[in-house]
């Protein structure tokens, strides 16, 4: 697991290799990741957007951005935790992801970025 704190918001990521499958007639590696966002501050925040940079060792970098996460724009009160699970497909057995969330402080209405730490996506067979 990797973690990073930006402006009192802690982002933790845990990854898992889910196996291989075919997508669009191509063999791909399936990875899941669980993100936990903890508000360690004293003000309520709302996650409005996400930006991901996904590195695939065989296909370079793919950029993914958009509103919210998994169809939600969660409000996270002080000391609360929000967790979601998602995933990605890579051609390679190794890759990485990093990015940031755009959040708004609902007490001051200031917008800010919360950085998502760089995390590895690796088929565990490569470790043996």
């Amino acid at each position: 697991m990797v973690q990073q704190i930006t402006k009192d918001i802690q982002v933790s990521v845990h990854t898992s290799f889910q196996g291989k499958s075919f997508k669009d007639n191509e063999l791909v590696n399936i990875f899941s990741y669980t993100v936990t966002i903890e508000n360690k501050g004293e003000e309520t925040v709302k996650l409005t957007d996400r930006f991901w940079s996904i590195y695939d060792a065989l296909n370079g970098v793919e950029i993914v951005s958009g509103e919210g996460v998994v169809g939600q724009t969660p409000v996270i009160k002080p000391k609360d935790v929000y967790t979601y699970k998602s995933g990605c497909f890579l051609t390679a057995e190794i890759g990485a992801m990093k990015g940031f969330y755009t959040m708004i402080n609902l007490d001051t209405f200031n917008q800010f970025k919360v950085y998502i730490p760089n995390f590895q996506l690796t088929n565990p067979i490569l470790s043996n």
Side-chain angles (χ1 to χ4, degrees), residues 31-106:
F31 295 92
S32 69
Y33 54 91
T34 301
V35 178
T36 301
I37 303 168
E38 183 176 354
N39 184 348
K40 294 180 169 280
E42 300 298 325
E43 298 173 321
T44 300
V45 299
K46 180 177 182 177
L47 190 158
T48 59
D49 296 280
R50 71 186 179 297
F51 177 91
W52 287 108
S53 178
I54 305 168
Y55 173 74
D56 182 325
L58 294 175
N59 282 333
V61 177
E62 177 184 0
I63 302 298
V64 176
S65 63
E67 185 178 345
V69 290
V70 293
Q72 299 181 352
T73 54
V75 171
I76 309 168
K77 294 180 180 177
K79 312 303 179 213
D80 276 357
V81 175
Y82 175 79
T83 300
Y84 73 93
K85 188 172 184 174
S86 191
C88 69
F89 303 103
L90 298 180
T91 302
E93 292 184 304
I94 189 167
M97 292 177 65
K98 66 179 179 178
F100 63 85
Y101 300 118
T102 301
M103 295 200 177
I104 187 164
N105 179 317
L106 294 180

